[in-house]
Every structure is written in structure tokens, then in C-alpha cells.
């Protein structure tokens, strides 16, 4: 006497009698399965959406992607990604110091072939505070480049080492004593006369190696330096630019030491290829 199993297929080849019967998934079944994760994602966005948009994460990420695409046309996507990350680390240095001082600051925004910028929604209290925000970018940016260098040595990667060299060069160039570069804001706490030196250096570079970006920085720097110099005798400017001798020395030593360390790091991370 045999028993009947209603879940066992019959009248089929014995070797296939244990094969499961598959039914097509309907749209209703698919929606039922997706409902829970969709509802969870919606709740998350409702709860944290305001924070996400307040931090302007999407703006930063979008401009980063555009910059990666632009740089990739010339250097390839791997180098482009590393270069944009180095820019991000540099800008985060400014953001962290601005936040530490309680200054309202925008998220970094990337501009292809011009770098990246942040915007302070109000000025620092004085030029000493401004100098600290300015030098934080090259300091943190240099640490980021050093991390690339260490990884390049550990992994024997010319790509990472080349990115490190580029990062050191980028941060050293930013120390040129002329606004809108970081060095111009640091120099203001040392002595405004350094702006003339920065202008002279950029003029020489523009003549020796003409470059549209360099010329643009030169024009902007000349206009900003002239504006600050012309207003230097106003009561507000004199109060803003008042620094103690100790602060002046600290700014000068930090500026020179960082420039020297970056020069040494560039020499050490430079890759020489035998022809």
C-alpha cells in the first residue's frame, strides 16, 4: 500500500522528482518585499534629511565628482581621485579650525583646475584668528600627503608617491604670501609688507611659465592686497590687524618651518625615472 504525498510531484522522471516547483514573482509580491526597506529608508531620510542637507554633503560630493571627471581627462581616474582627496583633506583643515573658533563655515566646494574653497559666513575676530584658519589647511593637507607617501613606500606604489609629491607641492604653493592663497592670510599676521614679496614672486612665475590659473591668482591677489593696504589706516583695520609680538613670532616661525618641511618632503618624494 502506497501513501500519497500531495507535495511530491508525480508522473515525472524519477531523477527529477525532487526538483522544486518555481513560480514566477508577481509585481505585487515584489512590492510587498520591498515595502519594509523602502519604509525604513523613508523614515531615515525624514529623521536625518535636514542634517544631511544642512551639511551640504550633496553639494560637496557633486563638485568632487565633477572635479574628478575633469582631472581624469588629463591624468587618469586613479590620480584624479587621489588628487581630489588631497584637496578635501586640505579644506577640512580650514573647516576644523573655523569650527574650533566657532565660526560659521560652508562645506568645501570644488572648482575644476582651481582647487577647492570654503566660505566663512563671518570674518574671524582678528588677523591672528584668520592666520590660524589659513595655516590649518596646509598643516592638515601636508599630513594627508605624508599619509600617501607612507602608503606609497609601504606598497611600493609610484602612483601614491606621485600623489604625495603633488600634495606637498600644492600645500607649498598655497603658502605663497599673497591673498587669496593661505600664505597671504598668514603673512598678514607676520607683516603686510610680505604681500609685495608674494606679488613679485608671482609676477616672475607668470613671466617664466605663463599659466591662465597663475595669472588669475596674480590678478586677484593684486586686487585684494591693494584693497587691504588702502584700508590699513582705518580704525577698524588697525584693530583687526593688531597682533602681539608673541603672535607675530609664532606665525612667522610656523610659516617658515612648514614651508621648509614641505620643501624637504617634496625632495624626498620626488620620483626620478631613468631614461
Amino acid at each position: 500500500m502506497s501513501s500519497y504525498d500531495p507535495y511530491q510531484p508525480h508522473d515525472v522522471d524519477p531523477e527529477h522528482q525532487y526538483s522544486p516547483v518555481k513560480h514566477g514573482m508577481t509585481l505585487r509580491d515584489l512590492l510587498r518585499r520591498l515595502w519594509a526597506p523602502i519604509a525604513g529608508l523613508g523614515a531615515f531620510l525624514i529623521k536625518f534629511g535636514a542634517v544631511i542637507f544642512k551639511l551640504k554633503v550633496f553639494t560637496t560630493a557633486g563638485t568632487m565628482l565633477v572635479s574628478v571627471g575633469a582631472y581624469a581627462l588629463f591624468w587618469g581616474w586613479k590620480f584624479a581621485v587621489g588628487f581630489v582627496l588631497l584637496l578635501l583633506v586640505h579644506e577640512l583643515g580650514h573647516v576644523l579650525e573655523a569650527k574650533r573658533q566657532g565660526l560659521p563655515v560652508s562645506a568645501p566646494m570644488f572648482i575644476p583646475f582651481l582647487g577647492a574653497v570654503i566660505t566663512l559666513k563671518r570674518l574671524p575676530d582678528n588677523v591672528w584668528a584668520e592666520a590660524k584658519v589659513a595655516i590649518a589647511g596646509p598643516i592638515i593637507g601636508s599630513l594627508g600627503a605624508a599619509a600617501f607617501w607612507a602608503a606609497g613606500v609601504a606598497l611600493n606604489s609610484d602612483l601614491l608617491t606621485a600623489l604625495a609629491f603633488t600634495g606637498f607641492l600644492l600645500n607649498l604653493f598655497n603658502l605663497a604670501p599673497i591673498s587669496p592663497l593661505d600664505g597671504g592670510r598668514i603673512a598678514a599676521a607676520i607683516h603686510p609688507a610680505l604681500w609685495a614679496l608674494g606679488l613679485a614672486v608671482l609676477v616672475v612665475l607668470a613671466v617664466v611659465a605663463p599659466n591662465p590659473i597663475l595669472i588669475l591668482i596674480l590678478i586677484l591677489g593684486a586686487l585684494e592686497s591693494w584693497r587691504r593696504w588702502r584700508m590699513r589706516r582705518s580704525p577698524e583695520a588697525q584693530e583687526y590687524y593688531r597682533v602681539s609680538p608673541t603672535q607675530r613670532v609664532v606665525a612667522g616661525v610656523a610659516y617658515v618651518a612648514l614651508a621648509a618641511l614641505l620643501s624637504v618632503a617634496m625632495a624626498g618624494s620626488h620620483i626620478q625615472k631613468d631614461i
Side-chain angles (χ1 to χ4, degrees):
M1 181 177 178
S2 63
S3 61
Y4 176 75
D5 184 356
Y7 300 101
Q8 177 66 42
H10 294 268
D11 300 326
V12 294
D13 190 298
E15 67 180 15
H16 296 114
Q17 63 180 356
Y18 295 103
S19 299
V21 178
K22 297 181 180 179
H23 299 282
M25 181 179 292
T26 65
L27 178 60
R28 183 177 180 181
D29 294 332
L30 179 61
L31 291 176
R32 187 183 296 124
R33 293 190 178 188
L34 291 178
W35 169 248
I38 290 175
L41 179 60
F44 175 83
L45 291 178
I46 291 173
K47 185 175 182 180
F48 298 101
V51 177
I52 293 174
F53 282 102
K54 184 178 180 180
L55 294 176
K56 301 186 184 300
V57 172
F58 294 133
T59 300
T60 299
T63 55
M64 285 180 69
L65 288 174
V66 171
S67 292
V68 168
Y71 295 133
L73 294 175
F74 296 91
W75 303 328
W77 71 270
K78 292 181 180 180
F79 192 93
V81 169
F83 183 71
V84 171
L85 287 177
L86 286 168
L87 292 175
L88 176 63
V89 172
H90 177 102
E91 293 303 318
L92 288 179
H94 295 310
V95 171
L96 290 174
E97 175 58 24
K99 292 283 188 181
R100 192 191 68 81
Q101 294 186 24
L103 298 172
V105 59
S106 70
M109 185 175 70
F110 294 78
I111 306 172
F113 307 112
L114 288 178
V117 296
I118 62 166
T119 303
L120 294 177
K121 298 180 182 179
R122 70 175 175 85
L123 286 176
D125 296 334
N126 49 56
V127 72
W128 169 243
E130 182 183 3
K132 289 188 288 185
V133 174
I135 202 170
I139 289 176
I140 301 300
S142 299
L143 293 177
F148 272 81
W149 190 12
V153 172
L155 300 175
N156 194 27
S157 170
D158 285 350
L159 173 63
L160 294 177
T161 304
L163 279 167
F165 174 85
T166 305
F168 294 135
L169 174 62
L170 171 71
N171 287 282
L172 182 61
F173 177 76
N174 261 282
L175 289 179
I178 181 173
S179 294
L181 299 179
D182 298 330
R185 304 180 189 281
I186 302 168
I190 303 172
H191 199 289
L194 289 174
W195 294 335
L197 175 62
L199 280 172
V201 170
L202 284 186
V203 167
V204 172
L205 288 176
V207 172
V208 174
N211 181 288
I213 297 176
L214 193 62
I215 294 174
L216 176 62
I217 294 174
L218 176 60
I219 294 173
L220 293 176
L223 293 175
E224 177 66 11
S225 298
W226 170 247
R227 183 189 69 82
R228 292 199 183 203
W229 184 260
R230 186 169 54 86
M231 298 177 62
R232 72 189 186 283
R233 298 191 183 280
S234 67
E236 296 82 3
Q238 290 182 349
E239 179 63 26
Y240 184 80
Y241 287 104
R242 182 174 291 114
V243 293
S244 69
T246 300
Q247 291 171 340
R248 199 181 300 278
V249 170
V250 170
V253 170
Y255 179 79
V256 172
L258 182 57
L261 287 173
L262 285 169
S263 299
V264 172
M266 282 181 59
S269 59
H270 183 253
I271 299 174
Q272 293 183 349
K273 292 292 186 180
D274 295 331
I275 300 177

